[in-house]
Amino acid sequence: DIVFPDGSTCMLQLGGGGPQTLFGFQLVNAQQSKVGLAAGVGADMPPECTAWLSSIGVDTSGLLLHPRSTPRAWQVFEADGRRTQVWRGKGDPCDELYDMLRPKFDTMPPHFKIARNFHIGVHPLYPPLRLLRKLREVAHEAGGVLSVEPYTAAEQPATREQVEALLKVCDIFSPNEGEAASMVGQASPLDTADMLLDAAGAGGASVVVVRRGEHGVLVKGRSGRAAGGGSGAPGAGGGAAGEAGGSRQQAAGAWEAWEVPAVADTRAVDVTGCGNAFCGGFLAAYDRTKGNLLESALHGCVAASFMAEERGVPKLPIPGLQGRAQQRMEELRKRAVAVSGQPRKASVSVTACLANVMIRRAGRQAVAGCRKPHSHGMQARCIASFRAW
């Protein structure tokens, strides 16, 4: 339930990050991909929410029924951009809520467990490392990747060890500027990407995207697919042993970096979920283009622009958006700028996190809980499982 700065509201909106991510993924692939959502829901899950998921081709067999009500929250926007989330359930947040929201690999439908790509949102200080390793292992076996985004900034300074632990168990890492600053300190987008890639090391994330809101994104990584395994895995070079999750890493191309602005003249009315939509669009294009960073960032920014132009999730059918999406892609391509991609010496410097923590989306259907729910919020906010058969 969204409250805008002028006091107007937009109630009963599907949130959680996962649905927005799936919209971005399906927009890029013209709704031709098989995608799924893993989440805990109550018997009161609004039918219009389930209907919207079905309308964009989402497999909802991963929505597991719980005795509690479907999680619901206020998302309050301030004029200066701050967002505050207030849980609406009686007694929430509580252990039962977080237990409901915590995704478990063992309870996912069998076909989810062989997905090619996964996307998940995590708390930067308390990520579910065991789950991330498992998802990454499964993705690599199928020739895909694990994409991770923080769902909030860290409430306290992250240590070097905490940053490394997270960056070493994913392939694509996509924080916004505030989330990144809470992990490695205030720096330019390029320096931020360098510090995060340095923390990832040889076997960790090979792509970092710093999301900058109305200023677009900075993406840095190795050209071409950097992870995978199995005979059907796209990418360059042969397989080599990797450290995280028993996965196998493939050789990738040279380092490159791009600054991609936001889509010009976006008529933004609700920016909730734009970062999630970007991540879904980026992941879909990254999979389709075998790791082309520029194309992936362009697709992600276009997906975010459509999310911003409607209150809640976009209601227009995805097939009908393809012409406009292509037009926005071509216009945006002209404004993208290549920057120096060579890795630079960077070190993680820890600073206090931002005073105003931005939390993403009200009405969390696709979320996972944390081990210490009262001290730091959720451990993994949303998970979306993708498979292209």
Side-chain angles (χ1 to χ4, degrees):
D1 299 319
I2 305 172
V3 181
F4 295 98
D6 63 0
S8 62
T9 60
C10 188
M11 307 292 284
L12 208 65
Q13 296 303 305
L14 182 61
Q20 289 75 13
T21 303
L22 290 165
F23 167 81
F25 195 95
Q26 289 291 67
L27 179 68
V28 171
N29 288 330
Q31 203 169 316
Q32 296 301 305
S33 296
K34 292 186 176 181
V35 299
L37 184 63
V41 299
D44 61 344
M45 173 76 166
E48 52 265 48
C49 292
T50 305
W52 183 86
L53 290 170
S54 297
S55 75
I56 66 166
V58 176
D59 182 340
T60 59
S61 63
L63 300 181
L64 302 181
L65 188 64
H66 285 252
R68 299 186 94 251
S69 298
T70 301
R72 190 168 179 176
W74 292 106
Q75 185 82 0
V76 184
F77 283 79
E78 306 294 348
D80 60 3
R82 287 179 295 124
R83 310 180 200 183
T84 303
Q85 177 175 281
V86 182
W87 288 104
R88 296 194 62 184
K90 185 177 180 180
D92 286 343
C94 62
D95 291 343
E96 290 78 12
L97 172 70
Y98 290 122
D99 183 65
M100 174 183 179
L101 300 178
R102 185 181 298 117
K104 300 178 179 65
F105 186 82
D106 291 344
T107 61
M108 292 180 190
H111 54 291
F112 279 40
K113 298 178 183 180
I114 54 174
R116 189 165 77 218
N117 298 294
F118 293 89
H119 176 79
I120 184 170
V122 304
H123 193 290
L125 298 182
Y126 308 96
L129 297 177
R130 182 179 300 178
L131 175 62
L132 296 181
R133 292 188 188 99
K134 183 62 178 178
L135 295 177
R136 193 182 191 213
E137 177 186 355
V138 170
H140 285 195
E141 287 296 323
V145 294
L146 171 63
S147 168
V148 172
E149 65 169 314
Y151 64 76
T152 185
E155 299 88 347
Q156 61 192 43
T159 65
R160 170 78 186 195
E161 290 72 23
Q162 287 173 315
V163 177
E164 288 182 348
L166 175 55
L167 269 293
K168 288 183 181 298
V169 293
C170 61
D171 300 304
I172 300 170
F173 187 64
S174 180
N176 65 33
E177 287 183 299
E179 293 156 354
S182 75
M183 298 178 67
V184 297
Q186 294 284 355
S188 71
L190 187 57
D191 285 340
T192 296
D194 280 332
M195 287 188 281
L196 290 169
L197 288 167
D198 179 67
S206 59
V207 176
V208 167
V209 186
V210 181
R211 293 180 278 113
R212 308 182 61 215
E214 63 184 14
H215 302 296
V217 302
L218 179 286
V219 57
K220 182 167 184 177
R222 288 192 180 277
S223 58
R225 181 61 69 87
S231 59
E243 297 180 356
S247 62
R248 290 171 288 183
Q249 294 290 322
Q250 291 180 315
W255 288 99
E256 62 177 281
W258 292 88
E259 289 179 344
V260 178
V263 172
D265 302 322
T266 299
R267 299 179 299 277
V269 297
D270 179 8
V271 298
T272 316
C274 290
N276 308 124
F278 172 88
C279 289
F282 187 96
L283 178 58
Y286 189 84
D287 180 72
R288 193 173 76 180
T289 65
K290 299 179 173 61
N292 186 304
L293 299 185
L294 174 58
E295 293 299 307
S296 301
L298 291 171
H299 277 289
C301 287
V302 169
S305 73
F306 283 104
M307 184 62 64
E309 291 182 335
E310 292 193 48
R311 290 192 171 191
V313 291
K315 306 303 188 298
L316 294 175
I318 285 177
L321 298 176
Q322 295 304 300
R324 291 162 59 192
Q326 187 60 38
Q327 183 179 24
R328 293 183 184 190
M329 274 280 295
E330 296 311 314
E331 289 297 321
L332 190 59
R333 189 188 309 278
K334 301 172 186 176
R335 299 166 55 217
V337 178
V339 296
S340 174
Q342 288 303 312
R344 297 179 294 170
K345 199 67 176 177
S347 60
V348 175
S349 60
V350 176
T351 62
C353 68
L354 300 181
N356 298 308
V357 177
M358 291 188 181
I359 303 180
R360 292 199 180 278
R361 186 77 173 172
R364 307 283 179 178
Q365 278 80 38
V367 290
C370 67
R371 286 186 289 270
K372 300 178 181 178
H374 298 294
S375 61
H376 57 69
M378 286 184 234
Q379 186 184 75
R381 180 130 295 196
C382 66
I383 175 172
S385 169
F386 308 91
R387 176 72 187 268
W389 280 280

